[in-house]
Amino acid sequence: MGLYDFTFYDLINRNAVSFKERDAWFEVDDKRSLTFSEYKAKVDCLAFGLQKAGIKKGDRIGVLGKNSLEYFLLYGAAAALGAIMLPINWRLSGDEVGYNLNDCDPKLLFVDLEFQETAEGLKDKLQSVEKYFNLGPGGGQFSDFGSLMDNPGDFQAAEVSTDDGFVIIHTAAVAGRPRGALLSHGNVLCADMHVDYICGLTSRDVHLNVLPLFHVGGLFLATSTFHAGALNVNVSKFDAEKAVALIAEKKVSVLIEFPPILTSILDQHEKTGTDISSLRIAAGLETQETIEKYQKVTGGTFYVLYGQTETSCIATFGPYNDRPGSAGRTLPLAEVRLVDDYDRPVPAGQVGEITMKGPMVFK
């Protein structure tokens, strides 16, 4: 990599020094935790294992599964090798899963036990996939994930630039079919910095990771938290009772959500009286009633936003109280305009197409 480049793997190395023994990840389902230095060590081992399995720069790694430590380790190892992650929406039908995978030709596919029947039924159609692995410690019919970790971690570093691809996330249908948006290391890191700057995230924060890592919102809040040297508390599936208990136990301070997640948390709080006052930041798409109730109960701030996968999650972002009913302010490193059919800005109050330019626009 060049003198002026900085990648997600560079961030992993930086955090292993800057936040060495601080907790980086806590896996709720099986109580596993990793410090930032331990995360880097496991990423290096996995990168070596992936390299032995034939992964090189530019190769795609498909993932069909729910949030887990192994999932986030794959993001780190892919970054180290210059490989490109291809997370698949597990809510899709088997045919849709097959289409998205074939759209991007992954060399390896990692699959949760829950979705291995789907993957098995697609094998004859997935010509690019050379090997299948179980995702996580839960076992399954494919090769063991642990087999990739049993090595010294001495992988051959790739020449990866800030502008190289990091993840492909499929987005809105065009002519009836979704398309894969390629996001670079620079896209991800710029989005992280915007979230950290606007929300004031620090290493003292704790993020409850409830949105899926195949979604740009779930991924980018996880990476923004990691970027700040803060703790990701990960759950594979949202449950209001468990979430409220975790907010109290882990002093969770950050949450990105879509309805009805926040409403469910507030309802559970009312039911149990559990203290959720640590939740100083919530962000996402929400009703006025729920936003104002959250802010009253916790004293925290709700952040509104507008964005797309193609803009690395957000294009506008800001506190709800700044202007209730808005979608926040344009980001510091972005220009957002409404234009007509000839790309001319339209006057305030008129309908136009939303356009954005800046370092967060996808490749």
Side-chain angles (χ1 to χ4, degrees), residues 67 90-91 207-213 218 232-239 243 246 254-258 261 265:
N67 292 5
W90 43 261
R91 296 189 181 101
H207 169 229
L208 182 58
N209 198 39
V210 296
L211 294 190
L213 288 171
N232 274 295
V233 173
N234 182 68
V235 293
S236 60
K237 183 180 180 181
F238 175 73
D239 174 85
L246 284 168
V254 184
L255 174 75
I256 184 170
E257 59 88 35
F258 298 124
I261 291 173
I265 287 173

Side-chain angles (χ1 to χ4, degrees), residues 36 45 54 104 257 263 296 316:
F36 283 94
C45 285
C104 300
E257 59 88 35
T263 300
K296 183 178 180 180
T316 63

Side-chain angles (χ1 to χ4, degrees), residues 255-278:
L255 174 75
I256 184 170
E257 59 88 35
F258 298 124
I261 291 173
L262 187 56
T263 300
S264 300
I265 287 173
L266 293 171
D267 288 347
Q268 182 67 18
H269 158 73
E270 281 190 351
K271 178 180 174 182
T272 63
T274 305
D275 182 12
I276 59 170
S277 60
S278 63

Side-chain angles (χ1 to χ4, degrees), residues 18-52:
S18 297
F19 305 110
K20 189 174 182 179
E21 297 308 319
R22 293 188 68 91
D23 286 338
W25 191 272
F26 178 74
E27 191 74 13
V28 172
D29 292 346
D30 54 14
K31 309 299 183 187
R32 290 180 294 163
S33 64
L34 287 181
T35 65
F36 283 94
S37 61
E38 289 170 337
Y39 178 78
K40 173 189 155 41
K42 286 191 176 294
V43 161
D44 287 355
C45 285
L46 180 55
F48 187 86
L50 291 174
Q51 214 162 46
K52 287 196 298 183

Side-chain angles (χ1 to χ4, degrees), residues 169-339:
I169 298 180
H170 280 82
T171 186
V174 179
R177 291 290 196 179
R179 289 187 178 179
L182 176 61
L183 301 171
S184 69
H185 290 264
N187 288 150
V188 174
L189 299 179
C190 185
D192 290 352
M193 294 298 291
H194 273 116
V195 172
D196 292 349
Y197 166 69
I198 294 170
C199 294
L201 291 192
T202 74
S203 60
R204 295 184 296 276
D205 280 303
V206 179
H207 169 229
L208 182 58
N209 198 39
V210 296
L211 294 190
L213 288 171
F214 67 70
H215 186 276
V216 70
L219 172 59
F220 278 53
L221 257 293
T223 58
S224 295
T225 300
F226 186 88
H227 204 139
L231 170 62
N232 274 295
V233 173
N234 182 68
V235 293
S236 60
K237 183 180 180 181
F238 175 73
D239 174 85
E241 184 177 353
K242 182 184 290 186
V244 167
L246 284 168
I247 292 169
E249 177 190 348
K250 296 293 185 181
K251 302 302 179 189
V252 170
S253 56
V254 184
L255 174 75
I256 184 170
E257 59 88 35
F258 298 124
I261 291 173
L262 187 56
T263 300
S264 300
I265 287 173
L266 293 171
D267 288 347
Q268 182 67 18
H269 158 73
E270 281 190 351
K271 178 180 174 182
T272 63
T274 305
D275 182 12
I276 59 170
S277 60
S278 63
L279 192 58
R280 70 180 187 90
I281 296 167
L285 308 177
E286 204 38 275
T287 65
Q288 177 182 346
E289 179 185 8
T290 300
I291 291 171
E292 294 181 355
K293 183 178 180 181
Y294 154 75
Q295 294 190 148
K296 183 178 180 180
V297 166
T298 65
T301 301
F302 192 93
Y303 289 81
V304 292
L305 60 92
Y306 167 76
Q308 299 172 287
T309 301
E310 295 90 336
T311 64
S312 304
C313 188
I314 51 176
T316 63
F317 192 53
Y320 165 83
N321 288 346
D322 282 0
R323 189 171 183 177
S326 79
R329 296 183 182 276
T330 301
L331 298 174
L333 294 181
E335 180 185 1
V336 177
R337 298 190 300 164
L338 292 182
V339 300

